[in-house]
Amino acid sequence: MPNGANLAEKRRPYWRRGADDVRFVIARLRDQRIARQDRVVVVGHSHGGDIAMLLASEEPRALAAVFTLDNRRMPFPRLRRPQLCSVRSSDMPADPGVLPTAEEQSSLGIVVVRLDIRHDDMSDAAPASQQALMVAALDRCLMQPKTPGRPPRTNPPEGPLGAVSGAPGQAGRCAALRPSS
């Protein structure tokens, strides 16, 4: 994984490969009638979150929502669709321009939640109390109305949950997607 200056530029080919992998999985799920376009949610941590944001910027109508845990390099697309949400750690700031401004968040319905959690603890290895905070943030995102000014949803959207994860030194990977019950 490239390091040094201009990380967003240097890592973009890795994100592209990851986004292509996610597109492939989503297409296969659609072919098998497991996933519908308006029901796919992609979740990514760190490098995987950058992959998810690239996918959202290139294919905004292909996803219902994107939820990142501390993506740091790929800017959020400034769009209303898909629903964009992010949990931010207390120890790893995003690069300038990655996060939308408070005004953009408000006008576009983007949810950014800052938690007192370390970047490297944003996983299933985190203590249960921190996992609960991350799940609550995901719930908040999924309950957020797609259009600002509309009342919140009463139930999260149903459908497959796509997970893209990435840690330092990884190119990101796609976890199993599962149909809703």
Side-chain angles (χ1 to χ4, degrees), residues 62-78:
L63 306 169
V66 171
F67 183 82
T68 69
L69 297 116
D70 234 17
N71 69 298
R72 297 181 52 217
R73 312 276 182 232
M74 180 67 199
F76 281 55
R78 279 27 181 208

Side-chain angles (χ1 to χ4, degrees), residues 63-132:
L63 306 169
V66 171
F67 183 82
T68 69
L69 297 116
D70 234 17
N71 69 298
R72 297 181 52 217
R73 312 276 182 232
M74 180 67 199
F76 281 55
R78 279 27 181 208
L79 304 168
R80 291 187 193 278
R81 183 176 167 102
Q83 172 67 51
L84 300 175
C85 303
S86 186
V87 171
R88 312 309 304 174
S89 72
S90 57
D91 65 333
M92 295 281 206
D95 288 352
V98 168
L99 298 176
T101 65
E103 182 179 312
E104 290 170 328
Q105 290 173 44
S106 177
S107 68
L108 297 172
I110 297 171
V111 177
V112 176
V113 180
R114 297 185 193 285
L115 298 176
D116 188 22
I117 297 176
R118 289 175 357 104
H119 177 85
D120 290 342
D121 290 339
M122 293 180 140
S123 74
D124 57 356
S129 61
Q130 290 183 345
Q131 288 183 32

Side-chain angles (χ1 to χ4, degrees), residues 133-153:
L133 291 172
M134 290 182 283
V135 169
L138 176 59
D139 286 345
R140 177 178 166 201
C141 170
L142 295 176
M143 300 303 283
Q144 180 77 10
K146 286 185 181 180
T147 305
R150 289 185 131 175
R153 296 183 186 120

